[in-house]
mmCIF file of all heavy atoms in Angstrom:
data_model
loop_
_atom_site.group_PDB
_atom_site.id
_atom_site.type_symbol
_atom_site.label_atom_id
_atom_site.label_comp_id
_atom_site.label_asym_id
_atom_site.label_seq_id
_atom_site.Cartn_x
_atom_site.Cartn_y
_atom_site.Cartn_z
ATOM 1 N N VAL A 1 0.848 -1.189 -0.001
ATOM 2 C CA VAL A 1 0.000 0.004 -0.002
ATOM 3 C C VAL A 1 0.883 1.242 -0.002
ATOM 4 O O VAL A 1 1.753 1.388 0.862
ATOM 5 C CB VAL A 1 -0.922 0.008 1.255
ATOM 6 C CG1 VAL A 1 -1.755 1.271 1.298
ATOM 7 C CG2 VAL A 1 -1.793 -1.225 1.272
ATOM 8 N N ASP A 2 0.652 2.125 -0.964
ATOM 9 C CA ASP A 2 1.369 3.399 -1.033
ATOM 10 C C ASP A 2 0.741 4.343 -0.013
ATOM 11 O O ASP A 2 -0.446 4.644 -0.098
ATOM 12 C CB ASP A 2 1.267 3.979 -2.431
ATOM 13 C CG ASP A 2 2.030 5.287 -2.593
ATOM 14 O OD1 ASP A 2 2.666 5.768 -1.630
ATOM 15 O OD2 ASP A 2 1.984 5.854 -3.702
ATOM 16 N N THR A 3 1.543 4.803 0.960
ATOM 17 C CA THR A 3 1.023 5.673 2.012
ATOM 18 C C THR A 3 1.188 7.159 1.705
ATOM 19 O O THR A 3 0.627 7.997 2.386
ATOM 20 C CB THR A 3 1.721 5.387 3.362
ATOM 21 O OG1 THR A 3 3.096 5.763 3.245
ATOM 22 C CG2 THR A 3 1.590 3.923 3.740
ATOM 23 N N GLY A 4 2.012 7.493 0.713
ATOM 24 C CA GLY A 4 2.241 8.890 0.364
ATOM 25 C C GLY A 4 3.313 9.574 1.182
ATOM 26 O O GLY A 4 3.659 10.719 0.921
ATOM 27 N N SER A 5 3.843 8.903 2.204
ATOM 28 C CA SER A 5 4.939 9.471 3.001
ATOM 29 C C SER A 5 5.713 8.345 3.670
ATOM 30 O O SER A 5 5.229 7.212 3.740
ATOM 31 C CB SER A 5 4.409 10.466 4.044
ATOM 32 O OG SER A 5 3.496 9.839 4.909
ATOM 33 N N GLN A 6 6.899 8.670 4.134
ATOM 34 C CA GLN A 6 7.730 7.641 4.757
ATOM 35 C C GLN A 6 7.037 7.029 5.959
ATOM 36 O O GLN A 6 6.325 7.702 6.693
ATOM 37 C CB GLN A 6 9.106 8.198 5.143
ATOM 38 C CG GLN A 6 9.079 9.169 6.274
ATOM 39 C CD GLN A 6 10.447 9.711 6.635
ATOM 40 O OE1 GLN A 6 10.512 10.684 7.345
ATOM 41 N NE2 GLN A 6 11.525 9.139 6.180
ATOM 42 N N VAL A 7 7.224 5.717 6.133
ATOM 43 C CA VAL A 7 6.622 4.991 7.245
ATOM 44 C C VAL A 7 7.703 4.820 8.313
ATOM 45 O O VAL A 7 8.766 4.266 8.045
ATOM 46 C CB VAL A 7 6.086 3.621 6.802
ATOM 47 C CG1 VAL A 7 5.438 2.886 7.956
ATOM 48 C CG2 VAL A 7 5.110 3.784 5.645
ATOM 49 N N CYS A 8 7.427 5.314 9.523
ATOM 50 C CA CYS A 8 8.422 5.293 10.594
ATOM 51 C C CYS A 8 8.135 4.237 11.647
ATOM 52 O O CYS A 8 9.066 3.754 12.296
ATOM 53 C CB CYS A 8 8.495 6.664 11.253
ATOM 54 S SG CYS A 8 8.950 7.982 10.113
ATOM 55 N N SER A 9 6.872 3.893 11.847
ATOM 56 C CA SER A 9 6.507 2.946 12.894
ATOM 57 C C SER A 9 5.154 2.334 12.568
ATOM 58 O O SER A 9 4.337 2.956 11.897
ATOM 59 C CB SER A 9 6.467 3.679 14.241
ATOM 60 O OG SER A 9 6.257 2.792 15.302
ATOM 61 N N LEU A 10 4.932 1.097 13.060
ATOM 62 C CA LEU A 10 3.671 0.393 12.854
ATOM 63 C C LEU A 10 3.232 -0.272 14.142
ATOM 64 O O LEU A 10 4.067 -0.821 14.874
ATOM 65 C CB LEU A 10 3.820 -0.695 11.785
ATOM 66 C CG LEU A 10 4.119 -0.253 10.359
ATOM 67 C CD1 LEU A 10 4.565 -1.436 9.515
ATOM 68 C CD2 LEU A 10 2.894 0.417 9.750
ATOM 69 N N ILE A 11 1.934 -0.234 14.421
ATOM 70 C CA ILE A 11 1.355 -0.920 15.584
ATOM 71 C C ILE A 11 0.023 -1.535 15.167
ATOM 72 O O ILE A 11 -0.828 -0.837 14.620
ATOM 73 C CB ILE A 11 1.127 0.026 16.775
ATOM 74 C CG1 ILE A 11 2.451 0.513 17.354
ATOM 75 C CG2 ILE A 11 0.305 -0.664 17.865
ATOM 76 C CD1 ILE A 11 2.283 1.465 18.531
ATOM 77 N N TRP A 12 -0.158 -2.820 15.463
ATOM 78 C CA TRP A 12 -1.441 -3.484 15.252
ATOM 79 C C TRP A 12 -2.323 -3.269 16.475
ATOM 80 O O TRP A 12 -1.835 -3.280 17.604
ATOM 81 C CB TRP A 12 -1.251 -4.988 15.080
ATOM 82 C CG TRP A 12 -0.648 -5.422 13.795
ATOM 83 C CD1 TRP A 12 0.678 -5.668 13.562
ATOM 84 C CD2 TRP A 12 -1.331 -5.691 12.573
ATOM 85 N NE1 TRP A 12 0.851 -6.071 12.265
ATOM 86 C CE2 TRP A 12 -0.369 -6.101 11.632
ATOM 87 C CE3 TRP A 12 -2.674 -5.630 12.188
ATOM 88 C CZ2 TRP A 12 -0.701 -6.444 10.327
ATOM 89 C CZ3 TRP A 12 -2.996 -5.978 10.892
ATOM 90 C CH2 TRP A 12 -2.021 -6.374 9.976
ATOM 91 N N SER A 13 -3.622 -3.141 16.243
ATOM 92 C CA SER A 13 -4.583 -3.135 17.342
ATOM 93 C C SER A 13 -4.610 -4.526 17.967
ATOM 94 O O SER A 13 -4.542 -5.535 17.259
ATOM 95 C CB SER A 13 -5.976 -2.781 16.824
ATOM 96 O OG SER A 13 -6.951 -3.013 17.826
ATOM 97 N N GLN A 14 -4.729 -4.575 19.280
ATOM 98 C CA GLN A 14 -4.835 -5.854 19.977
ATOM 99 C C GLN A 14 -6.242 -6.421 19.918
ATOM 100 O O GLN A 14 -6.444 -7.598 20.200
ATOM 101 C CB GLN A 14 -4.421 -5.689 21.444
ATOM 102 C CG GLN A 14 -2.980 -5.295 21.627
ATOM 103 C CD GLN A 14 -2.645 -5.007 23.084
ATOM 104 O OE1 GLN A 14 -3.423 -5.289 23.993
ATOM 105 N NE2 GLN A 14 -1.474 -4.444 23.304
ATOM 106 N N ASN A 15 -7.221 -5.584 19.569
ATOM 107 C CA ASN A 15 -8.623 -5.982 19.665
ATOM 108 C C ASN A 15 -9.396 -5.952 18.355
ATOM 109 O O ASN A 15 -10.445 -6.556 18.249
ATOM 110 C CB ASN A 15 -9.334 -5.101 20.691
ATOM 111 C CG ASN A 15 -8.607 -5.104 22.013
ATOM 112 O OD1 ASN A 15 -8.425 -6.147 22.620
ATOM 113 N ND2 ASN A 15 -8.146 -3.946 22.444
ATOM 114 N N GLU A 16 -8.929 -5.213 17.386
ATOM 115 C CA GLU A 16 -9.616 -5.069 16.099
ATOM 116 C C GLU A 16 -8.628 -5.367 14.979
ATOM 117 O O GLU A 16 -7.428 -5.388 15.184
ATOM 118 C CB GLU A 16 -10.153 -3.634 15.931
ATOM 119 C CG GLU A 16 -11.134 -3.212 16.975
ATOM 120 C CD GLU A 16 -12.472 -3.928 16.878
ATOM 121 O OE1 GLU A 16 -12.848 -4.350 15.757
ATOM 122 O OE2 GLU A 16 -13.135 -4.074 17.914
ATOM 123 N N ARG A 17 -9.145 -5.551 13.790
ATOM 124 C CA ARG A 17 -8.284 -5.765 12.620
ATOM 125 C C ARG A 17 -7.933 -4.401 12.038
ATOM 126 O O ARG A 17 -8.469 -3.992 11.003
ATOM 127 C CB ARG A 17 -8.961 -6.684 11.623
ATOM 128 C CG ARG A 17 -9.070 -8.101 12.177
ATOM 129 C CD ARG A 17 -9.720 -9.046 11.222
ATOM 130 N NE ARG A 17 -9.811 -10.360 11.850
ATOM 131 C CZ ARG A 17 -9.066 -11.407 11.516
ATOM 132 N NH1 ARG A 17 -8.173 -11.303 10.552
ATOM 133 N NH2 ARG A 17 -9.192 -12.546 12.141
ATOM 134 N N GLU A 18 -7.055 -3.711 12.755
ATOM 135 C CA GLU A 18 -6.623 -2.366 12.389
ATOM 136 C C GLU A 18 -5.120 -2.241 12.588
ATOM 137 O O GLU A 18 -4.530 -2.908 13.432
ATOM 138 C CB GLU A 18 -7.322 -1.325 13.254
ATOM 139 C CG GLU A 18 -8.829 -1.312 13.091
ATOM 140 C CD GLU A 18 -9.551 -0.445 14.107
ATOM 141 O OE1 GLU A 18 -8.941 -0.030 15.107
ATOM 142 O OE2 GLU A 18 -10.743 -0.204 13.888
ATOM 143 N N LEU A 19 -4.530 -1.345 11.787
ATOM 144 C CA LEU A 19 -3.099 -1.090 11.852
ATOM 145 C C LEU A 19 -2.893 0.411 11.912
ATOM 146 O O LEU A 19 -3.523 1.165 11.154
ATOM 147 C CB LEU A 19 -2.404 -1.660 10.601
ATOM 148 C CG LEU A 19 -0.899 -1.462 10.495
ATOM 149 C CD1 LEU A 19 -0.170 -2.299 11.540
ATOM 150 C CD2 LEU A 19 -0.411 -1.828 9.102
ATOM 151 N N LEU A 20 -2.029 0.857 12.815
ATOM 152 C CA LEU A 20 -1.688 2.268 12.942
ATOM 153 C C LEU A 20 -0.274 2.472 12.415
ATOM 154 O O LEU A 20 0.641 1.735 12.791
ATOM 155 C CB LEU A 20 -1.785 2.713 14.402
ATOM 156 C CG LEU A 20 -1.535 4.186 14.688
ATOM 157 C CD1 LEU A 20 -2.637 5.053 14.088
ATOM 158 C CD2 LEU A 20 -1.434 4.431 16.197
ATOM 159 N N SER A 21 -0.109 3.444 11.547
ATOM 160 C CA SER A 21 1.217 3.770 11.012
ATOM 161 C C SER A 21 1.562 5.199 11.385
ATOM 162 O O SER A 21 0.697 6.062 11.460
ATOM 163 C CB SER A 21 1.245 3.591 9.487
ATOM 164 O OG SER A 21 0.248 4.365 8.859
ATOM 165 N N SER A 22 2.869 5.427 11.640
ATOM 166 C CA SER A 22 3.325 6.804 11.865
ATOM 167 C C SER A 22 4.210 7.183 10.695
ATOM 168 O O SER A 22 4.876 6.343 10.088
ATOM 169 C CB SER A 22 4.068 6.942 13.190
ATOM 170 O OG SER A 22 5.354 6.358 13.127
ATOM 171 N N HIS A 23 4.203 8.502 10.392
ATOM 172 C CA HIS A 23 4.845 8.960 9.158
ATOM 173 C C HIS A 23 5.722 10.179 9.386
ATOM 174 O O HIS A 23 5.595 10.891 10.370
ATOM 175 C CB HIS A 23 3.768 9.297 8.112
ATOM 176 C CG HIS A 23 2.922 8.115 7.783
ATOM 177 N ND1 HIS A 23 3.248 7.215 6.812
ATOM 178 C CD2 HIS A 23 1.769 7.655 8.336
ATOM 179 C CE1 HIS A 23 2.328 6.264 6.756
ATOM 180 N NE2 HIS A 23 1.420 6.514 7.678
ATOM 181 N N GLY A 24 6.581 10.383 8.417
ATOM 182 C CA GLY A 24 7.414 11.575 8.375
ATOM 183 C C GLY A 24 6.975 12.424 7.205
ATOM 184 O O GLY A 24 5.789 12.585 6.962
ATOM 185 N N PHE A 25 7.957 12.882 6.477
ATOM 186 C CA PHE A 25 7.723 13.815 5.387
ATOM 187 C C PHE A 25 6.625 13.302 4.479
ATOM 188 O O PHE A 25 6.660 12.172 4.069
ATOM 189 C CB PHE A 25 9.028 14.023 4.614
ATOM 190 C CG PHE A 25 10.207 14.286 5.533
ATOM 191 C CD1 PHE A 25 11.207 13.336 5.690
ATOM 192 C CD2 PHE A 25 10.290 15.455 6.254
ATOM 193 C CE1 PHE A 25 12.266 13.556 6.538
ATOM 194 C CE2 PHE A 25 11.356 15.675 7.114
ATOM 195 C CZ PHE A 25 12.329 14.725 7.246
ATOM 196 N N THR A 26 5.560 13.958 4.241
ATOM 197 C CA THR A 26 5.423 15.390 4.411
ATOM 198 C C THR A 26 4.441 15.815 5.496
ATOM 199 O O THR A 26 4.500 16.963 5.954
ATOM 200 C CB THR A 26 4.936 16.037 3.094
ATOM 201 O OG1 THR A 26 3.682 15.475 2.746
ATOM 202 C CG2 THR A 26 5.885 15.817 1.956
ATOM 203 N N GLN A 27 3.546 14.943 5.919
ATOM 204 C CA GLN A 27 2.506 15.395 6.830
ATOM 205 C C GLN A 27 2.781 15.094 8.306
ATOM 206 O O GLN A 27 2.081 15.609 9.169
ATOM 207 C CB GLN A 27 1.163 14.794 6.438
ATOM 208 C CG GLN A 27 0.696 15.275 5.090
ATOM 209 C CD GLN A 27 -0.651 14.687 4.723
ATOM 210 O OE1 GLN A 27 -1.416 14.284 5.577
ATOM 211 N NE2 GLN A 27 -0.931 14.620 3.441
ATOM 212 N N ASN A 28 3.724 14.220 8.622
ATOM 213 C CA ASN A 28 4.080 13.904 10.017
ATOM 214 C C ASN A 28 2.863 13.450 10.828
ATOM 215 O O ASN A 28 2.650 13.863 11.956
ATOM 216 C CB ASN A 28 4.743 15.117 10.687
ATOM 217 C CG ASN A 28 5.875 15.667 9.863
ATOM 218 O OD1 ASN A 28 6.750 14.932 9.424
ATOM 219 N ND2 ASN A 28 5.861 16.957 9.615
#
């Protein structure tokens, strides 16, 4: 999946089928 910015960190939800990503340039 193209996120449009650099991916710095990833965390899966422990309870749902969801993924959280943190980003840098350009939107932080």
Side-chain angles (χ1 to χ4, degrees):
V1 177
D2 182 1
T3 66
S5 59
Q6 70 180 165
V7 181
C8 300
S9 186
L10 294 166
I11 292 180
W12 288 95
S13 169
Q14 296 174 11
N15 307 301
E16 300 291 332
R17 292 181 182 253
E18 298 171 346
L19 179 69
L20 184 67
S21 56
S22 73
H23 300 272
F25 313 110
T26 60
Q27 295 181 24
N28 309 310

